[in-house]
Amino acid sequence: MSFADTFASTGEPTLDRQLIGEMQVQAGFFGVRPAFRLYEKGSHNAMATPRVWSGAPSTDGTVLYHVAMMRAQLRSHSWGGAVVAAVTAHEFAHIYQFRRGLIQAWRRGGRRTKYSELHADYLAGYYMGSKRTIDASGIREFADYFFGIGDYKFNDPQHHGTREERYATVKAAFNLYRNAPGRSVGYVSAQGEAYIREYIRDA
């Protein structure tokens, strides 16, 4: 995708302010500051790239989000805002992976894409544990909704893992937050790798 086809504003000032606030909180946890760009052409998706947008040359890559998908998420469930935060956290996790050289190291070690995707789910799950909108009793319903929307390869077992693998990974990270809140992203990253290696096949 060309950055020329991206833009900064949803066209809704209140939503823009909410997004900026969420990006600032996520940047604090993940320790990275990617540019955040919206787009409207092509498939409904969200993605992260280590490519730096020229309009923000000091950033750590770029997170891109299909604006129509975002609006549909916000409208379709009372957890819409949390889902947008979770999708964004998953992409921030990828930026963290790029920044730390993890994806490059995993590829050299023969790890499949599924490994990095589940690791991003784990980091996002820990981050979402801090959101008061989701409690332990609601994590399954939230995860089912999160993994069942959009064109985000949610059901591709080779790319993101199966729905059950993804749910188990997010739940494990959510439980880690409940038992050990306030830990650094580095600590959570290491816990995520240990979890995936022990419990997820073919990752």
Side-chain angles (χ1 to χ4, degrees):
M1 175 185 297
S2 169
F3 285 143
D5 296 325
T6 68
F7 47 94
S9 174
T10 65
E12 302 175 34
T14 298
L15 178 56
D16 286 347
R17 287 193 295 271
Q18 292 171 337
L19 287 170
I20 290 170
E22 180 62 27
M23 298 308 101
Q24 290 172 340
V25 175
Q26 293 199 15
F29 171 68
F30 288 99
V32 294
R33 287 192 170 273
F36 186 80
R37 304 291 292 168
L38 301 164
Y39 69 100
E40 58 186 357
K41 297 178 181 178
S43 63
H44 289 203
N45 209 337
M47 64 195 82
T49 173
R51 292 170 52 210
V52 175
W53 174 51
S54 60
S58 62
T59 52
D60 301 310
T62 310
V63 170
L64 301 116
Y65 210 126
H66 194 286
V67 68
M69 183 176 89
M70 178 187 293
R71 290 187 178 122
Q73 290 165 349
L74 291 170
R75 288 194 305 267
S76 61
H77 197 282
S78 61
W79 282 337
V83 169
V84 170
V87 171
T88 305
H90 179 98
E91 302 309 332
F92 263 69
H94 282 315
I95 295 293
Y96 170 82
Q97 291 168 344
F98 285 126
R99 184 71 173 169
R100 299 291 296 177
L102 296 175
I103 287 182
Q104 301 89 318
W106 293 334
R107 287 173 181 168
R108 289 194 299 270
R111 294 290 180 184
R112 297 161 64 185
T113 299
K114 178 177 172 178
Y115 189 95
S116 62
E117 294 297 336
L118 289 172
H119 185 261
D121 279 343
Y122 193 95
L123 289 174
Y126 185 88
Y127 173 78
M128 292 305 296
S130 68
K131 297 291 185 182
R132 296 182 183 275
T133 51
I134 306 169
D135 60 21
S137 64
I139 186 65
R140 179 71 202 219
E141 184 182 352
F142 170 78
D144 283 346
Y145 180 68
F146 173 47
F147 299 143
I149 55 176
D151 180 19
Y152 197 54
K153 297 187 179 179
F154 288 104
N155 296 311
D156 183 345
Q158 302 307 316
H159 187 245
H160 278 90
T162 67
R163 184 185 293 249
E164 284 304 314
E165 286 171 334
R166 297 193 74 191
Y167 166 69
T169 301
V170 168
K171 182 64 183 295
F174 190 87
N175 288 340
L176 177 66
Y177 179 84
R178 290 297 185 234
N179 293 321
R183 296 302 181 96
S184 71
V185 67
Y187 173 86
V188 179
S189 175
Q191 293 296 309
E193 287 207 67
Y195 172 83
I196 294 166
R197 287 172 174 162
E198 182 171 359
Y199 293 108
I200 305 296
R201 289 185 175 185
D202 303 322

